[in-house]
Amino acid sequence: SASSGSSTKLEMSRAAALADRKGGQKDAMSIKKAEHEADLAMGLNSTMLKLIKGDVLICTQCGATQMGPVTCDCPGGKRKPGADYCPKLLLIAAAKARGHAIKATELKDHVRKQGAVAGERAKNKLGQIDLNAELQGEGTEVTVAVQYPIGKLGLTLEKNCVSAVTGSPAEELGVKKGWILAEVAGDETPADKAAVAKMIMTVFKEQKTGEVTFRFRTPITDGFSCCTECNKYMEDSEFDGAMLTKGPGKQMCLSCEEFSGMF
């Protein structure tokens, strides 16, 4: 009948409309997924979204934003982004720069506080160290010159940090776990175990006999460890417990852990 045919056509029309709607939703989801993957690839995760929230790109040439830290001094004035310009990369770069600036300020304040707390301890400790010791790190560390006999070391290294004292001559010389081998025969050491070992071997072979000056960085008192990222001695309370168990040469302070995970 006519009414039956009309009903069938209406149902087919509705089914087609529903299929179109589902197809459109699927396409939209695919587009959204691709955009999300692109955002993650450029570093725009949930943490970074919070950091760039409320910030606005001011100049596409220098990357200046309202929240800084860069201010625009471009010749000819600011180059404002167009309506179709994607500012995400520049906003992320600005957020990272702000994060690093905050980190640097926090570390500077922290070291200053450590220096104030450790001041008296430093005086007492320095009285027990040889005359070649020099106060460093605003009171948090000293450098100690050790006359090392050519031969075995009696220690193991992680990067350029003493990870263990295994015997003579390190024990007799008073070298401690956690010290940093900063110089060998006046040459600064890199934070690389193989490179440091090569430096020592070269000096030993060239000199053959006698002693070589090793200069170590050492905390001014017990309860301090060196952060591999900051390259500074800090109180153990500034490290996660699990991080401290990793040992010298592998430890990062809480602040560096947070920022490394963020960026």
Side-chain angles (χ1 to χ4, degrees):
S1 66
S3 61
S4 177
S6 297
S7 177
T8 301
K9 288 181 179 180
L10 180 59
E11 289 176 359
M12 290 177 64
S13 178
R14 287 176 177 173
L18 179 60
D20 288 342
R21 201 159 49 245
K22 287 183 176 180
Q25 290 174 347
K26 187 176 181 180
D27 290 341
M29 289 176 64
S30 297
I31 292 172
K32 188 174 182 180
K33 182 181 178 181
E35 290 177 346
H36 180 63
E37 290 175 349
D39 285 346
L40 291 178
M42 71 173 71
L44 189 56
N45 53 28
S46 58
T47 301
M48 186 59 69
L49 276 170
K50 294 177 183 178
L51 292 174
I52 69 173
K53 184 178 180 181
D55 200 8
V56 177
L57 180 64
I58 295 174
C59 179
T60 59
Q61 182 173 343
C62 65
T65 70
Q66 283 186 353
M67 294 173 63
V70 176
T71 56
C72 182
D73 295 316
C74 295
K78 302 180 181 69
R79 297 188 181 181
K80 297 181 180 180
D84 59 345
Y85 187 89
C86 180
K88 291 178 181 178
L89 280 173
L90 291 178
L91 291 176
I92 290 171
K96 288 183 178 180
R98 289 194 299 274
H100 291 309
I102 291 170
K103 175 184 172 183
T105 300
E106 288 177 347
L107 290 177
K108 185 176 180 180
D109 290 342
H110 178 72
V111 169
R112 188 181 298 113
K113 290 176 182 177
Q114 286 181 336
V117 171
E120 290 301 316
R121 294 175 181 174
K123 294 177 183 177
N124 296 333
K125 176 97 178 199
L126 283 171
Q128 303 171 14
I129 297 176
D130 64 47
L131 295 178
N132 290 319
E134 300 174 6
L135 188 62
Q136 303 289 332
E138 298 185 26
T140 61
E141 63 180 84
V142 293
T143 58
V144 181
V146 176
Q147 300 306 313
Y148 230 91
I150 293 176
K152 295 181 178 179
L153 297 179
L155 56 80
T156 57
L157 295 172
E158 179 66 37
K159 294 183 179 178
N160 59 342
C161 302
V162 178
S163 57
V165 175
T166 57
S168 180
E171 283 184 350
E172 288 81 358
L173 293 170
V175 178
K176 303 294 183 184
K177 177 181 177 180
W179 285 17
I180 298 172
L181 180 53
E183 293 180 9
V184 174
D187 292 327
E188 187 175 347
T189 63
D192 183 299
K193 178 180 178 178
V196 175
K198 185 176 180 180
M199 286 179 65
I200 294 172
M201 187 180 300
T202 299
V203 172
F204 280 8
K205 284 184 176 180
E206 289 177 351
Q207 190 164 318
K208 295 182 180 179
T209 60
E211 297 177 338
V212 176
T213 301
F214 284 14
R215 188 170 290 275
F216 292 90
R217 292 170 54 200
T218 170
I220 195 68
T221 187
D222 294 335
F224 282 69
S225 297
C226 187
C227 171
T228 57
E229 293 297 315
C230 301
N231 193 29
K232 294 180 182 295
Y233 280 102
M234 298 181 173
E235 292 183 37
D236 287 347
S237 60
E238 295 297 320
F239 296 80
D240 179 74
M243 185 61 70
L244 285 175
T245 61
K246 291 186 175 183
K250 298 180 180 180
Q251 300 160 332
M252 280 196 297
C253 67
L254 289 168
S255 178
C256 286
E257 274 197 277
E258 179 183 351
F259 279 96
S260 65
M262 184 180 299
F263 302 127

